[in-house]
Amino acid sequence: MMICCIQTLLLLGAQLALSIPNNFFYHDFRKGNGNKEFHFSGVKLHVDSAQPAVFAATGDNVTLPCRFWYEPELTSPREPRVKWSWQPAAGGHETDVLVAIGSRSRSLGEFRGRVQIRQDFPGDAALVMTNLMLNDTGRYHCEVVDRLEDKSTSVYLELRGVVFPYQHPRGHYHLSFLAAQQACEQQASTLATFSQLFQSWKEGLNWCNAGWLADGTVQYPMTRPRVPCGGDGLAPGVRSYGRRHLQLHRYDVFCFSSTLQGKVYYLQPSHTMNLTEAQQACQEDGAQVAKVGQLYAAWKLSVLDRCDAGWLADGSVRYPITRPRRNCGPSEPGVRSFGFPPPQHKHGVYCYKSGDELM
C-alpha cells in the first residue's frame, strides 16, 4: 500500500514538473508490466490562427481561421471541446459564440444561426460567420480544451466602412453617450471604435469637434493642427479627452457605417420639395429617404458623386462629392452638409432602396 502511494505521488510530481507555461501537455499513463511499473508518453497540443486579423463588410460571409494539432501525431483521433467567444471592440464582457465537440455544435446568443465550425480537415476549428452585422467587430477567441487543459488563439475581425461625425439637430455638444449610441443607430450606423477613427485619420479625416467613441472616450482627429483645435504647435493626431461621464457630459459622436445592402440615389424631381413632400416622393418610388450613414457609405464605398443638395431622413440636407469641382464646395472629397434647415425649405432628396426592393 505504501509503495503504491509513493508511486502515485511520484507520477503527480512528474506531471506538474513537465507542465510548461503556454504549452499544454496531456499524459497517457498505462500499465507496463506485472510489477505495476508505469510508462509515460507526453503529447503536446498546439492551437494557431493563420491570420491575426480578418477584414470584411456588413452582409459578408467570412471565415476566422483556427486549427489545432498534436505533437507527436496521435495514433487515434480525439474529439476536444472547441469554444469560440467574442470580445466586442468597444470593450465589455466576453460573450460565448459557439461550442463544439466533434461534429456536434451549438451557436449562442446573437450569433445563433449565423455561425458554424468549418471542419474541412482534421484539427480544423475555423469559425464560419454569415451575414455580418455592424456590431460584429471585435476580437474572437478560439479555445481548444482537451481533458483538463486548454490552449487558445485569437483573431480580430474588422469591418471595412466609413467613419463620419454627427451632431444633434440643435447643434454641437448635445449628446450624452446613450444619446450618441441611439443617434448612430438611427442613421444606419454604430458608434465608431478608436481603431476605426484612427484609420480614418490616417486616410485624411480632419474634424475639430470632439465626439464619443464606442469605448466611452471622447476624441477628435486632426490632420491640420490650428489654434481653435488644440493649438497649431501640436503634431497631427487623434486628440483625446479620455473617458467622460456617460450621462452628464455632452459631445458630438463619431459613427461608423459599412457596405450598403441596397442603393442610395438622388431622386430627380420636377421641382424641389419640402421634407414631407420628399418623404412622399421616395415612397412613391418604392424607396425611403436615405439615412446619413447610408449616404456616407454610398459616397465612400460606392463612389456616389452628386452636386445636388438633398433631404435625408434625419431632416438634414447634404450631398456627396468624390470629385471636387467648382461650385460644389471645398477642394477635398466629402459629404457636404447644410445642417438642419426648416422642414418647409425646398430641396431635392436622396432615397434608399434595399436589396430586396431592387429586385
Side-chain angles (χ1 to χ4, degrees):
M1 177 65 72
M2 180 67 70
I3 294 174
C4 289
C5 291
I6 293 173
Q7 286 179 328
T8 301
L9 289 172
L10 288 173
L11 287 171
L12 290 172
Q15 186 174 8
L16 290 171
L18 289 172
S19 296
I20 300 175
N22 299 322
N23 291 324
F24 156 45
F25 289 84
Y26 75 82
H27 310 293
D28 187 13
F29 296 101
R30 57 182 184 271
K31 292 181 180 180
N33 52 40
N35 296 324
K36 296 185 180 179
E37 295 176 353
F38 289 82
H39 300 281
F40 167 74
S41 175
V43 179
K44 184 178 179 181
L45 171 67
H46 297 268
V47 178
D48 188 33
S49 171
Q51 298 173 252
V54 172
F55 296 86
T58 53
D60 285 354
N61 300 335
V62 70
T63 299
L64 306 184
C66 177
R67 70 183 185 100
F68 64 90
W69 71 98
Y70 298 91
E71 289 183 350
E73 186 175 347
L74 298 178
T75 56
S76 58
R78 297 176 61 85
E79 289 189 345
R81 177 175 177 264
V82 176
K83 185 180 82 169
W84 278 92
S85 58
W86 168 62
Q87 181 74 45
H93 297 294
E94 191 165 302
T95 302
D96 289 343
V97 173
L98 177 143
V99 177
I101 299 178
S103 60
R104 306 181 305 278
S105 67
R106 183 176 65 173
S107 54
L108 305 166
E110 297 177 1
F111 297 91
R112 191 183 305 276
R114 293 198 295 128
V115 295
Q116 63 181 0
I117 293 289
R118 187 173 60 183
Q119 295 182 321
D120 279 357
F121 51 85
D124 184 16
L127 184 71
V128 179
M129 304 180 66
T130 61
N131 190 27
L132 287 182
M133 299 180 180
L134 274 174
N135 290 324
D136 287 342
T137 298
R139 187 168 299 281
Y140 289 77
H141 298 276
C142 174
E143 180 183 30
V144 180
V145 181
D146 194 328
R147 297 189 180 182
L148 298 179
E149 303 294 340
D150 67 88
K151 193 80 183 288
S152 65
T153 187
S154 64
V155 184
Y156 195 88
L157 175 62
E158 184 72 86
L159 295 185
R160 293 189 181 93
V162 57
V163 172
F164 62 94
Y166 191 79
Q167 70 182 62
H168 192 277
R170 293 201 305 268
H172 290 297
Y173 298 170
H174 283 281
L175 299 172
S176 67
F177 181 76
L178 178 59
Q181 282 182 315
Q182 294 171 342
C184 289
E185 290 170 1
Q186 290 167 0
Q187 299 310 314
S189 59
T190 188
L191 276 167
T193 65
F194 172 76
S195 63
Q196 290 166 345
L197 181 66
F198 184 74
Q199 179 62 35
S200 296
W201 168 75
K202 290 197 296 184
E203 295 172 358
L205 181 60
N206 184 72
W207 197 255
C208 191
N209 298 304
W212 291 103
L213 295 181
D215 60 359
T217 61
V218 174
Q219 312 198 34
Y220 64 99
M222 291 300 304
T223 59
R224 298 187 303 276
R226 49 196 186 276
V227 173
C229 304
D232 55 4
L234 295 176
V238 177
R239 315 273 194 252
S240 177
Y241 289 5
R243 294 186 181 276
R244 312 304 286 171
H245 195 288
L246 302 184
Q247 288 81 39
L248 297 180
H249 290 145
R250 299 289 189 271
Y251 295 96
D252 294 346
V253 62
F254 289 99
C255 302
F256 174 81
S257 185
S258 189
T259 301
L260 291 168
Q261 302 302 305
K263 178 183 179 182
V264 173
Y265 61 98
Y266 181 77
L267 185 63
Q268 186 69 50
S270 58
H271 59 281
T272 55
M273 302 164 285
N274 62 36
L275 180 57
T276 301
E277 292 168 339
Q279 293 168 339
Q280 183 177 351
C282 286
Q283 291 174 359
E284 291 175 352
D285 202 48
Q288 56 188 331
V289 180
K291 299 178 179 181
V292 178
Q294 293 166 340
L295 183 66
Y296 267 94
W299 163 73
K300 180 73 173 182
L301 305 172
S302 301
V303 201
L304 181 63
D305 181 271
R306 184 87 194 197
C307 193
D308 295 288
W311 288 107
L312 294 180
D314 65 341
S316 64
V317 172
R318 309 174 193 247
Y319 63 99
I321 295 295
T322 58
R323 295 179 293 103
R325 50 200 182 273
R326 291 183 61 186
N327 302 322
C328 294
S331 58
E332 301 88 7
V335 174
R336 321 292 193 219
S337 175
F338 288 120
F340 296 84
Q344 66 269 21
H345 280 198
K346 301 284 188 174
H347 299 281
V349 62
Y350 286 93
C351 302
Y352 172 77
K353 283 187 180 180
S354 68
D356 294 337
E357 294 168 333
L358 290 171
M359 296 180 180

